[in-house]
Amino acid sequence: MTIDAPIDAAPPRAPVASPIASLLTAPILPMLLRLAIPNMIAMVGSTLVAIAETSYIGRLGTIPLAAIALVFPFAMLTQMMSAGAMGGGVSSAISRALGAGKRDRAAMLALHAAIIGLCGGLFFMVMMLVFGRAFFTLLGGRDRVLEEACGYSQVLFSGAIAIWLVNTLASVIRGTGDMRLPSMTLIGASLVQVALGGTLGLGLLGVPQFGMPGVAAGQLIAFTSAAIFFLWYLLSGRSRLPLNLRAFHFERAMFFDILKVGAVACLSPLQTVLTILIFTKILSTFGTEMLAGYGIGSRLEFLLIPITFAFGIASVPMVGMAIGAGQLKRARRGAWTAAAASGLTVGLIGLVVALDPSLWVSLFTRDPGVTAAAHSYFHWAGPAFVFFGIGVSLYFSSQGAARVGGPVLASTARLLIVAIGGISLVMAQAPAWTLFALVGGAMVVFGLSTAASVALRPLGQMSAGM
């Protein structure tokens, strides 16, 4: 495995203060589970929010449901980039500094990370407020559907800075090994979002019904409140890494330490969203039943992401601190343990639904055509879920080691396989099941390529931009 230190991080360094020190000394698997479970709970909470919001919007009518489908890829991209990609870069830089015993550097990195979060949120806000209508039109939005999508998007992305700040500051705290407080805060924000989104969107408790903009306002208010709380917590001295604004001074190297991981890692969620959009477009040529069957299958994939994310993001401070402290063997063990736990958990679920798809499919439909399509998807893609779990977990572990180039290239391979292979199959008039087999094969390639990039890279080698 090649989750190894940069050239300048070889000899063991002075021990760091507890409780951070436990990440360098505690048994790996119990520590991993202790870090992963709070993240898993928080991610499940986020998933339930998505389900609740879909329920609200469904009560508003079919047109709002169609509108949210246009906005969802961009909302998902915002969250994935700020929490998983750039957030992983933030946690990686801070954990490596703490592992090396450089607390002052870690605190300065946190302040620079907040600036990156502000800039990332500002970019998404401007991009979606200015070009959102054009994006939705390109995806097929017309008439009332387009107007509803724009109304929801304008409110949602007005709070893009809050979304990026919440995920960035949560990543700062996670970089210290504290997973509980970010998770509790995000769960609280989820409850606020569900309550306010439903009240404002549907007009409950005598409040005027604001429709789609009201549902979006629930998230805006919830994330703004969470951002304010995180800022207070970090500046009040209560965190493991107290911040001091008066000591701040601009350092280009600090930005580079974060961006050399986060900026490259941002390519992965972008490729993931493109893969979903391209495959959905290709599959739509096979008819509504086939598309609906895939939708049922991909919904389970969406629910599995919290598991892979929880194990993966838990490995970032474990690997990062071990790298910073020069404990390369521990970094390796931590990364592979997280990958094994993620792959085993997700793989077992995939195997179960591959053997008996009706356990999941029957929850959503009795239509024979849709059921047959969903069963075909699980038969071909379900056994490949194990590789998806391994690949995503190692992607995060590689962030902890500041080595994300290989996993990003693996994600690129997955995108190319789905795009080129899918178009080729459609042109050859291949049966629909071949597309599902293609998806499963792309997952296998992604997982194996990521594992190979982590296992085979020589010690001490540091490629540019990684």
Side-chain angles (χ1 to χ4, degrees):
M1 168 174 177
T2 62
I3 292 193
D4 301 314
I7 294 173
D8 61 350
R13 294 170 173 83
V16 288
S18 182
I20 294 173
S22 62
L23 274 82
L24 298 174
T25 58
I28 288 176
L29 182 57
M31 174 61 70
L32 176 69
L33 295 175
R34 192 155 57 246
L35 295 176
I37 290 174
N39 289 323
M40 201 176 300
I41 294 172
M43 289 297 292
V44 169
S46 298
T47 302
L48 294 177
V49 168
I51 295 173
E53 284 200 342
T54 303
S55 174
Y56 295 156
I57 294 169
R59 294 180 63 179
L60 294 174
T62 303
I63 289 176
L65 274 177
I68 196 65
L70 298 177
V71 184
F72 179 73
F74 301 98
M76 183 172 67
L77 183 62
T78 305
Q79 290 284 359
M80 291 171 68
M81 279 192 171
S82 58
M86 193 63 72
V90 170
S91 294
S92 170
I94 289 173
S95 63
R96 282 183 281 113
L98 289 173
K102 300 177 181 178
R103 295 182 64 86
D104 290 341
R105 175 179 174 80
M108 194 62 64
L109 281 166
L111 294 173
H112 284 73
I115 295 174
I116 292 175
L118 284 170
C119 292
L122 183 63
F123 170 79
F124 268 90
M125 182 179 73
V126 173
M127 181 182 70
M128 294 305 298
L129 292 182
V130 175
F131 300 108
R133 179 176 291 271
F135 292 150
F136 304 145
T137 301
L138 187 63
L139 290 177
R142 299 289 185 274
D143 304 324
R144 283 189 58 201
V145 171
L146 178 61
E147 295 305 318
E148 290 280 9
C150 289
Y152 180 86
S153 175
Q154 286 169 0
V155 176
L156 179 67
F157 285 99
S158 293
I161 291 177
I163 294 172
W164 269 78
L165 268 182
V166 164
N167 289 326
T168 300
L169 297 177
S171 298
V172 168
I173 299 170
R174 290 190 184 111
T176 69
D178 183 356
M179 303 290 170
R180 186 174 300 176
L181 185 109
S183 298
M184 291 176 59
T185 303
L186 291 175
I187 291 171
S190 297
L191 294 175
V192 172
Q193 183 177 341
V194 168
L196 290 181
T199 300
L200 297 174
L202 300 177
L204 304 177
L205 304 176
V207 175
Q209 181 176 327
F210 294 100
M212 290 280 282
V215 176
Q219 181 169 343
L220 186 153
I221 295 170
F223 272 78
T224 300
S225 301
I228 293 172
F229 171 75
F230 277 142
L231 285 170
W232 169 80
Y233 180 74
L234 286 166
L235 294 173
S236 67
R238 288 172 169 79
S239 72
R240 296 181 183 178
L241 187 66
L243 304 185
N244 183 4
L245 287 177
R246 294 180 180 178
F248 175 79
H249 56 277
F250 179 89
E251 289 188 33
R252 184 179 301 178
M254 297 282 182
F255 288 117
F256 178 75
D257 198 8
I258 297 170
L259 294 175
K260 71 181 180 183
V261 177
V264 178
C266 279
L267 294 174
S268 185
L270 180 61
Q271 291 168 338
T272 298
V273 171
L274 284 175
T275 301
I276 294 171
L277 292 176
I278 290 171
F279 189 74
T280 301
K281 183 68 175 179
I282 292 172
L283 200 62
S284 66
T285 62
F286 285 83
T288 303
E289 289 181 343
M290 196 60 61
L291 188 60
Y294 169 67
I296 291 173
S298 61
R299 188 174 302 176
L300 179 60
E301 279 185 54
F302 177 71
L303 292 176
L304 295 179
I305 289 176
I307 298 174
T308 59
F309 178 89
F311 284 115
I313 205 68
S315 74
V316 173
M318 291 182 63
V319 171
M321 288 191 189
I323 290 291
Q327 298 182 15
L328 305 186
K329 290 183 179 179
R330 183 176 177 85
R332 296 186 186 101
R333 291 198 303 269
W336 285 114
T337 301
S342 176
L344 180 63
T345 306
V346 173
L348 284 174
I349 296 173
L351 183 61
V352 168
V353 295
L355 295 173
D356 189 2
S358 62
L359 292 174
W360 177 258
V361 178
S362 61
L363 298 175
F364 301 95
T365 184
R366 301 289 181 183
D367 183 279
V370 176
T371 297
H375 280 224
S376 178
Y377 171 81
F378 282 124
H379 284 319
W380 289 102
F385 283 4
V386 58
F387 298 95
F388 174 74
I390 291 171
V392 172
S393 181
L394 288 177
Y395 160 75
F396 282 106
S397 297
S398 297
Q399 288 181 318
R403 300 287 181 78
V404 292
V408 168
L409 288 177
S411 184
T412 303
R414 180 188 179 195
L415 170 62
L416 292 176
I417 289 171
V418 170
I420 297 174
I423 293 172
S424 299
L425 289 173
V426 170
M427 293 178 64
Q429 297 183 330
W433 67 263
T434 60
L435 285 173
F436 296 147
L438 180 71
V439 170
M443 286 185 189
V444 173
V445 170
F446 167 67
L448 292 180
S449 298
T450 302
S453 72
V454 168
L456 301 178
R457 187 157 178 185
L459 290 173
Q461 198 174 68
M462 187 84 169
S463 298
M466 298 182 195

